[in-house]
Amino acid sequence: MAEPFDEYPELRLAPLLKGLDNDLLARIFAAGTTETLQAGDTLFAQGEPAKRFYLVVDGRLRLSQVTANGQQVVIRFLTPGQILAIVAALGHEEYPATAEAVEPTKLIGWGGEAWHALMAREAALGVNVVSILTTRIQEMQDRFRELATENVERRVARGLLRLIRQAGRRVEGGVLIDMQLTRQELAEMTGTTLYSVSRILTQWETDGIVRTDKRRVLVRAGHRLVAIAEDLPEDLLTDDR
């Protein structure tokens, strides 16, 4: 009998599946179906009926929301092992945001009723879902605090550090945020304008902190980015170049 991760080896470290035994994993995978998207495809749109819940297997998606005054806000980028549209499993009627693939993407999806039944039977699965939701709530609280209390440069630095945690890859010369990222998207993530983000990144390139090219960001001096994000003197941190 094939092990549950034989088909999806990328998901061994997914927080949703942490600590689950093979029998339960097999039932979870059997209850889901795979979906594939090309770059630019929309998985679901804000306001549509929330029917399915997803786990990202490969690729990346952008989750965005249009506010009441018509402003688009990038909420987060979803990378392999992360979940989205948990509202469908919790009984919400509509998707609160739009999910769009930023590169070819593969997902596993479950109908809301099927997933709700799994959680009702399996306490360990429910614990993992609650843990993920708790982390997401804390992240949103942190972002609200940043918007209310911190200057633009610190917000942009914190935004890049979040992206490093999600999609950072060590390469020659620093840490590459291994996904396409426009300056407009970074502005929408950090509650500022394209002009402000462009001005800050241009200054950081001059200072040797980052390098941008073809919608990618290479962080050349991570210790200096942390110093900006935390409002610390740079000489307190070790140079990581």
Side-chain angles (χ1 to χ4, degrees):
M1 179 178 177
E3 291 296 318
F5 286 118
D6 287 351
E7 187 175 1
Y8 306 110
E10 307 91 339
L11 300 182
R12 287 186 177 277
L13 300 179
L16 179 68
L17 308 178
K18 180 180 179 181
L20 305 185
D21 63 48
N22 282 353
D23 288 343
L24 175 54
L25 291 168
R27 292 197 298 275
I28 290 171
F29 289 152
T33 56
T34 59
E35 298 188 32
T36 58
L37 302 173
Q38 298 304 312
D41 288 350
T42 297
L43 179 62
F44 53 78
Q46 181 177 342
E48 288 182 351
K51 297 180 179 179
R52 294 180 67 75
F53 158 71
Y54 298 93
L55 174 65
V56 183
V57 177
D58 192 30
R60 289 177 176 81
L61 299 103
R62 177 176 55 244
L63 197 64
S64 63
Q65 189 176 66
V66 177
T67 66
N69 63 6
Q71 180 183 3
Q72 178 167 295
V73 177
V74 174
I75 299 174
R76 65 186 296 117
F77 287 89
L78 283 304
T79 56
Q82 295 185 316
I83 63 172
L84 69 159
I86 187 63
V87 294
L90 298 179
H92 289 244
E93 295 183 356
E94 297 181 348
Y95 292 116
T98 296
E100 180 184 6
V102 296
E103 59 186 69
T105 298
K106 180 179 179 181
L107 311 102
I108 304 175
W110 296 267
E113 291 185 2
W115 188 261
H116 190 271
L118 282 168
M119 286 201 303
R121 292 197 306 267
E122 307 292 346
L125 184 58
V127 168
N128 285 356
V129 170
V130 170
S131 177
I132 292 169
L133 290 176
T134 300
T135 300
R136 293 274 179 90
I137 291 170
Q138 183 61 56
E139 289 175 357
M140 294 307 297
Q141 290 176 333
D142 290 343
R143 291 183 65 176
F144 286 141
R145 175 183 52 77
E146 290 170 14
L147 289 171
T149 64
E150 296 179 357
N151 64 42
V152 172
E153 188 176 33
R154 289 187 69 189
R155 297 205 305 266
V156 174
R158 286 178 179 269
L160 288 179
L161 291 173
R162 276 193 292 269
L163 290 172
I164 287 174
R165 287 192 291 271
Q166 294 176 23
R169 179 166 61 88
R170 175 68 67 175
V171 297
E172 183 178 355
V175 177
L176 177 68
I177 296 176
D178 194 13
M179 60 190 296
Q180 291 194 4
L181 177 71
T182 67
R183 293 186 176 192
Q184 180 63 44
E185 288 169 337
L186 185 55
E188 291 170 1
M189 285 185 63
T190 53
T192 187
T193 64
L194 174 60
Y195 170 80
S196 294
V197 166
S198 296
R199 174 180 54 80
I200 290 167
L201 291 182
T202 297
Q203 184 60 55
W204 287 354
E205 288 198 67
T206 299
D207 295 342
I209 299 173
V210 302
R211 187 173 73 223
T212 61
D213 181 40
K214 295 181 179 179
R215 301 176 70 179
R216 304 263 176 171
V217 178
L218 173 69
V219 178
R220 300 175 60 196
H223 72 291
R224 298 180 67 186
L225 198 63
V226 171
I228 294 169
E230 301 298 335
D231 196 23
L232 297 172
E234 290 185 15
D235 58 8
L236 293 181
L237 299 174
T238 301
D239 195 326
D240 61 359
R241 285 179 294 174

